[in-house]
Amino acid sequence: MSADTDLDDLAALLPQLSTREAFAELETAQRAAEQAPPQSTIIPEPEFPHAWPHPKGGIARFPCALGCGWAHEHDSYAEDPDPISVPLTATSEDIGRIFGERAERRAARVRASVETAIRGHFADAHPGQEPPKRRIA
């Protein structure tokens, strides 16, 4: 028993999977991931040159895949203009949906911004050459 008996009571309500059932779920998820069609992107792996609490700790750098020295920088902390609004009557599912939708919108904006910067760089610095694609899981 922990000091937080409310949490213990909630945990007791959750279904308890046997080891065999938990392993079967993991295998099913792994098989599904292996069968998913491969995806690719022109966005290179980001670099994070500064760790928190450095003032530039939220900067993600996306370097040119051709190694020319150019990089697009994205401030992960500065860009989040949408206010979080959760109704007082929201259930945990509602809250999960609200935050999930918010994360998807933000990810789409960041992805579009980085792709636009990379395409612009290639048009200026590497005319006639398409940005290389990399496979993502």
Side-chain angles (χ1 to χ4, degrees), residues 91-104:
T91 65
S92 59
E93 289 83 16
D94 294 335
I95 294 170
R97 180 184 47 75
I98 289 167
F99 277 85
E101 290 170 356
R102 175 190 176 91
E104 287 177 16

Side-chain angles (χ1 to χ4, degrees), residues 16 43 48 56 69 91 99:
Q16 301 298 316
I43 299 174
F48 300 95
K56 293 186 177 182
T91 65
F99 277 85

Side-chain angles (χ1 to χ4, degrees), residues 102-137:
R102 175 190 176 91
E104 287 177 16
R105 283 191 310 271
R106 184 165 188 234
R109 280 195 312 263
V110 170
R111 187 171 37 254
S113 169
V114 173
E115 286 176 351
T116 299
I118 290 169
R119 290 191 192 285
H121 166 69
F122 269 76
D124 293 342
H126 311 290
Q129 186 167 1
E130 287 293 315
K133 292 184 177 185
R134 68 176 178 88
R135 186 170 187 251
I136 54 176

Side-chain angles (χ1 to χ4, degrees), residues 30-60:
Q30 185 176 15
R31 270 191 243 103
E34 289 170 353
Q35 293 175 358
Q39 297 178 347
S40 62
T41 182
I42 64 167
I43 299 174
E45 285 287 335
E47 299 171 351
F48 300 95
H50 306 286
W52 185 87
H54 190 280
K56 293 186 177 182
I59 299 292

Side-chain angles (χ1 to χ4, degrees), residues 1-14 16:
M1 253 350 223
S2 72
D4 190 348
T5 55
D6 291 338
L7 185 58
D8 291 336
D9 293 341
L10 288 173
L13 296 174
L14 295 174
Q16 301 298 316

